[in-house]
Amino acid sequence: EDQVTQSPEALRLQEGESSSLNCSYTVSGLRGLFWYRQDPGKGPEFLFTLYSAGEEKEKERLKATLTKKESFLHITAPKPEDSATYLCAVRSNFGNEKLTFGTGTRLTIIP
Amino acid sequence: DAGVTQSPTHLIKTRGQHVTLRCSPISGHKSVSWYQQVLGQGPQFIFQYYEKEERGRGNFPDRFSARQFPNYSSELNVNALLLGDSALYLCASSLDTGGEYFGPGTRLTVT
């Protein structure tokens, strides 16, 4: 069964303090790894899709990378508006079309 | 362009009742998925429909059912509601099997 583990559960950073969030996964053939941002009470907002080890994608202060076992979401010089829960999900080559999500990392950026 | 829309926004039901949740995908998207998210957890996959056919089903009881209409909108039905069905129900749409774009969700409370 596909599994996704995210760490840390929560992270507090000062504004401008760069860091990384981790997503470890176990999947029977990776068809895609997805990063989402979720604000309280709202639906997840799509950020990135990564398909193969070595792939990297960037958007503003965020950069996602992928290896065969894990993905990192690097946040450079974060601002308070980057505060949110960041979710990682995988889709397998086998079985149905579901996304399997981790429990997320709750990020707080302190001004 | 309009994103994924869901209705209603909030809903309060009593145990044993039935509920219907509705979703309109992004224009041009033919795939619709449903997820359940309880507080502090990542979304859990319920169903995916593509071109009106069920393409995937998660580990949810038969009380949960869904369908997709010719205009690609979708309904999620839950019968015989239990207290444990209280959650945020998310609808997501995609072109095919790429990144899924989520709606704002329907907050269901069962009393």
Side-chain angles (χ1 to χ4, degrees):
Chain A
E1 186 171 328
D2 303 339
Q3 288 191 332
V4 177
T5 303
Q6 292 188 247
S7 62
E9 289 186 9
L11 182 63
R12 291 172 62 90
L13 299 173
Q14 293 289 333
E15 183 174 359
E17 181 184 3
S18 302
S19 188
S20 296
L21 313 182
N22 178 261
C23 170
S24 297
Y25 64 90
T26 303
V27 66
S28 301
L30 181 69
R31 190 142 58 98
L33 185 140
F34 305 85
W35 282 98
Y36 288 87
R37 168 196 170 123
Q38 188 173 29
D39 292 304
K42 297 188 176 181
E45 175 190 345
F46 174 74
L47 294 174
F48 304 110
T49 307
L50 301 167
Y51 293 103
S52 57
E55 190 174 359
E56 300 182 351
K57 288 194 176 172
E58 288 188 66
K59 180 180 179 180
E60 297 181 353
R61 295 177 292 281
L62 301 176
K63 178 180 176 180
T65 61
L66 180 65
T67 73
K68 289 185 177 180
K69 294 183 177 181
E70 57 192 349
S71 177
F72 292 93
L73 185 65
H74 307 278
I75 302 177
T76 302
K79 299 181 178 181
E81 53 262 42
D82 295 323
S83 297
T85 294
Y86 290 84
L87 295 165
C88 173
V90 297
R91 177 178 282 131
S92 167
N93 277 322
F94 304 98
N96 61 32
E97 298 294 317
K98 69 178 183 179
L99 290 180
T100 298
F101 281 86
T103 54
T105 292
R106 188 171 66 254
L107 178 66
T108 304
I109 308 301
I110 305 163
Chain B
D1 287 340
V4 177
T5 59
Q6 294 186 242
S7 63
T9 305
H10 296 90
L11 201 53
I12 300 175
K13 290 285 190 178
T14 304
R15 276 179 299 175
Q17 286 188 316
H18 163 272
V19 68
T20 297
L21 310 181
R22 294 179 175 84
C23 171
S24 291
I26 293 170
S27 178
H29 285 191
K30 299 180 178 181
S31 174
V32 171
S33 299
W34 287 95
Y35 291 81
Q36 180 196 67
Q37 187 177 26
V38 299
L39 198 62
Q41 299 295 315
Q44 295 290 314
F45 175 76
I46 308 176
F47 289 108
Q48 187 184 80
Y49 278 78
Y50 181 77
E51 291 277 17
K52 298 175 287 179
E53 297 290 327
E54 182 183 299
R55 198 160 64 169
R57 174 185 285 255
N59 296 323
F60 280 80
D62 292 343
R63 299 185 295 108
F64 289 76
S65 63
R67 55 179 176 169
Q68 187 178 31
F69 300 100
N71 66 354
Y72 303 112
S73 67
S74 178
E75 283 183 354
L76 176 70
N77 295 283
V78 187
N79 293 322
L81 285 166
L82 304 174
L83 294 178
D85 295 331
S86 295
L88 181 67
Y89 287 85
L90 296 162
C91 174
S93 75
S94 65
L95 283 172
D96 189 356
T97 58
E100 295 190 325
Y101 294 83
F102 284 83
T106 294
R107 172 70 62 187
L108 173 65
T109 302
V110 182
T111 62

